[in-house]
Amino acid sequence: MTENSAPRLRPFSQVDVFSAEPYRGNPLAVVLDAEGLDSDAMQRFANWTNLSETTFLLPPTDPRADYRVRIFTGSEEFPFAGHPTLGSAHAWLEAGGVPQRDGELVQECAAGLVRVKRDGGRLAFAAPPLTRSGPVAEADLARIAAGLRMPRQELLDASWLVNGPEWIGVLLESAERVLAIRPDYAAMAGLKVGVIGPHPAGPGRDFEVRTFIPGDAAAEDPVTGSFNAGAAQWLIGTGRAPRSYLAAQGTVLGRAGRVHIEASGDDVWVGGNSVSCIEGFVLL
């Protein structure tokens, strides 16, 4: 806590992101009024929620923004992350937030200003510029192949996709190969790896995505907005994906995450449904 501040009840929402069906997406904890909380207090609470991310909403410092968000995992603060962006925007609007512009709001985060628009019944954010992209060292690719338990030649292409989280994107030949992965996290220690592969042509999902985060609490993320944003910029930019597509994620975990990608002009929009599952107050 900041000096001399006392705990108080603060409005709180837990939102399921990238799914219209409750409990089939990626959950996010949102503290809707975080004024007076310092970084240590935010980090402790984020650790306690035991979710992949927790966000804290604050008044903006930039007059162009509608609100400011700080994004914490259980152990660190992120400058940007995708599902916290959509979930925070959803919670802010449900709590009565009114954007300065019709149809679009602006979120301020440590990575800068992020535009979020209403896309029918969904929200979508404009993918932020990649701060690192391009080839991945062969030594890292060898470690990733070992971690995915597959021959190195099955990694058809790879690229750094850094937009806050430091993802390495890997393209496989098919969604079937993506779904078959049984990761060896120890082999990929220190790397954040996202894998994507195409589904057969036809109605429904276009790509299957999985993301792996080795570490002390090695985990597979249910649905990952930041990785999907970077992957879309990479794959559309290289002609491997159409300018509009639907990615599925979380299938192996029993989730039904759906990430809607659309390139429009110079922007790549990353969208999905959100639904509030818990609303109330937390003592902070």
Side-chain angles (χ1 to χ4, degrees):
M1 297 288 178
T2 55
E3 188 176 1
N4 298 324
S5 63
R8 61 180 175 87
L9 291 173
R10 299 171 185 269
F12 171 85
S13 182
Q14 191 156 311
V15 181
D16 205 20
V17 185
F18 288 121
S19 176
E21 183 182 353
Y23 316 117
R24 298 297 302 281
N26 195 358
L28 172 75
V30 184
V31 177
L32 290 154
D33 172 12
E35 284 196 272
L37 293 178
D38 63 19
S39 298
D40 289 342
M42 293 180 186
Q43 186 64 79
R44 281 195 300 272
F45 183 69
N47 179 269
W48 179 81
T49 67
N50 204 32
L51 297 178
S52 58
E53 280 102 6
T54 299
T55 62
F56 300 85
L57 305 192
L58 296 154
T61 62
D62 188 314
R64 296 170 293 175
D66 292 297
Y67 63 88
R68 180 163 64 102
V69 64
R70 295 184 66 180
I71 303 166
F72 287 81
T73 71
S75 60
E76 63 183 313
E77 184 172 6
F78 276 173
F80 168 80
H83 104 275
T85 293
L86 292 188
S88 295
H90 170 87
W92 184 81
L93 290 168
E94 278 206 339
V98 179
Q100 298 178 48
R101 300 155 209 76
D102 290 338
E104 182 176 295
L105 61 87
V106 178
Q107 171 186 279
E108 179 185 352
C109 60
L113 300 180
V114 179
R115 291 178 294 142
V116 181
K117 70 174 183 177
R118 288 187 173 96
D119 182 14
R122 298 187 295 268
L123 294 174
F125 66 85
L130 295 172
T131 58
R132 181 182 181 184
S133 60
V136 179
E138 188 58 40
D140 288 333
L141 292 175
R143 291 175 55 205
I144 291 169
L148 301 179
R149 303 180 193 271
M150 61 179 55
R152 164 66 182 86
Q153 61 267 28
E154 290 201 34
L155 280 57
L156 302 184
D157 199 2
S159 178
W160 282 97
L161 303 173
V162 178
N163 52 17
E166 296 190 350
W167 292 110
I168 295 175
V170 174
L171 177 66
L172 300 185
E173 67 174 357
S174 69
E176 182 180 14
R177 289 298 290 136
V178 172
L179 291 169
I181 294 168
R182 297 298 178 263
D184 177 353
Y185 286 103
M188 297 186 287
L191 302 175
K192 292 183 173 69
V193 179
V195 184
I196 186 167
H199 277 279
R205 303 160 293 176
D206 298 300
F207 289 91
E208 191 73 33
V209 171
R210 294 177 70 182
T211 52
F212 306 109
I213 309 171
D216 293 338
E220 178 172 350
D221 197 41
V223 200
T224 316
S226 59
F227 174 76
N228 276 283
Q233 290 165 303
W234 172 42
L235 296 178
I236 293 172
T238 56
R240 290 185 173 90
R243 291 178 63 82
S244 178
Y245 67 82
L246 179 65
Q249 190 176 353
T251 306
V252 172
L253 303 176
R255 310 293 177 88
R258 296 293 182 268
V259 182
H260 298 258
I261 300 294
E262 181 178 0
S264 177
D266 294 332
D267 291 318
V268 173
W269 293 91
V270 181
N273 294 94
S274 295
V275 57
S276 296
C277 298
I278 301 172
E279 294 181 337
F281 297 88
V282 292
L283 182 64
L284 282 171

